[in-house]
Amino acid sequence: MATFFGEVVVAPSRAGLDEEEEAREETPEDREIRRELEKKRYRRRGAGRAEIDVLWTWKSGGCGEEPLVCSRFIVAIGRNAAAFLSSFILDSVCWEVVGVVKLWNEWCRTSSTTNVLPTDSFCLFYRLISDPTVLLCQCSCYVAEDQQFQWLEKVFGSMQKEGLQVTILSTCPVADYKTQESTLTLASPFLKALKTKEFQEQVCCPLLEQPNIVRDLPAA
């Protein structure tokens, strides 16, 4: 349970639920849709193409089995957040591409090539040349609900966890923002924050107020 509103907490995961328990909560229509999606993805995997595959061109320890040494990891999720990184942070020669996420679902089908190029994927990793422990991720593609745990597992499974500070950037429509005042009078765009209790530094903007929440991959 959160000690204050605006704190990020770890919720119970559904990843470990067995199929029988999950099926009891589904309607017949839901099950039919899920089966059809699984068939499509199974055929895709049968052709040698995984749903999510993380490819790195750089390893800090010189060994593919060693985790990446990372002190700060900034993830921009969604087209607007990714465009913000491109315009204000990545628009210089201080960064280089070091990894890519290959993703396939009903709304995102990245190239099957193994080359790490911006034209091959909508999810790229960059490192700061002057400080290789600082990584950025631009994720402008759609990650399905049943793929979010796999995305997190594969991306963060490549990194060391000790001393790692993660910053997530995402956007949502002003119309979805819940407030007592009219959204027509709000200065747009505006910035709000959520944080964990381990984050002791000063937050650069006000915390997100109740009853607003974060959804999808940023919440995961």
Side-chain angles (χ1 to χ4, degrees), residues 8-20:
V8 178
V9 296
V10 179
S13 174
R14 293 176 56 86
L17 294 180
D18 56 35
E19 295 182 359
E20 293 182 0

Side-chain angles (χ1 to χ4, degrees), residues 189-203:
F190 56 89
L191 188 65
K192 299 288 183 176
L194 295 174
K195 71 182 185 70
T196 62
K197 60 183 179 181
E198 286 80 12
F199 185 81
Q200 301 299 326
E201 300 179 19
Q202 184 176 358
V203 181

Side-chain angles (χ1 to χ4, degrees), residues 160-173:
Q160 68 171 19
K161 307 301 187 297
E162 185 177 357
L164 174 61
Q165 183 182 106
V166 180
T167 302
I168 308 295
L169 303 175
S170 66
T171 60
C172 66

Side-chain angles (χ1 to χ4, degrees), residues 84-132:
F84 174 83
L85 279 190
S86 296
S87 300
F88 295 100
I89 299 180
L90 293 172
D91 189 19
S92 67
V93 295
C94 300
W95 303 86
E96 62 177 346
V97 177
V98 294
V100 63
V101 174
K102 299 296 182 181
L103 183 67
W104 188 94
N105 57 44
E106 292 65 46
W107 299 99
C108 178
R109 302 176 184 182
T110 57
S111 170
S112 60
T113 179
T114 57
N115 295 327
V116 180
L117 296 173
T119 55
D120 292 335
S121 176
F122 297 101
C123 190
L124 291 169
F125 298 96
Y126 299 82
R127 73 165 175 173
L128 185 62
I129 297 177
S130 60
D131 185 357

Side-chain angles (χ1 to χ4, degrees), residues 176-190:
D176 292 343
Y177 180 64
K178 297 176 177 59
T179 177
Q180 292 183 347
E181 60 180 299
S182 172
T183 56
L184 297 176
T185 62
L186 292 175
S188 180
F190 56 89

Side-chain angles (χ1 to χ4, degrees), residues 39-101:
K39 288 179 183 178
K40 290 182 179 180
R41 294 180 183 176
Y42 179 79
R43 288 195 294 268
R44 188 75 176 181
R45 291 193 296 269
R49 300 168 181 174
E51 292 180 41
I52 296 178
D53 193 15
V54 180
L55 306 175
W56 296 96
T57 61
W58 161 76
K59 284 288 184 179
S60 59
C63 175
E65 299 299 325
E66 295 184 11
L68 293 169
V69 177
C70 184
S71 60
R72 292 179 181 266
F73 184 40
I74 301 174
V75 187
I77 301 175
R79 296 185 180 275
N80 292 333
F84 174 83
L85 279 190
S86 296
S87 300
F88 295 100
I89 299 180
L90 293 172
D91 189 19
S92 67
V93 295
C94 300
W95 303 86
E96 62 177 346
V97 177
V98 294
V100 63
V101 174

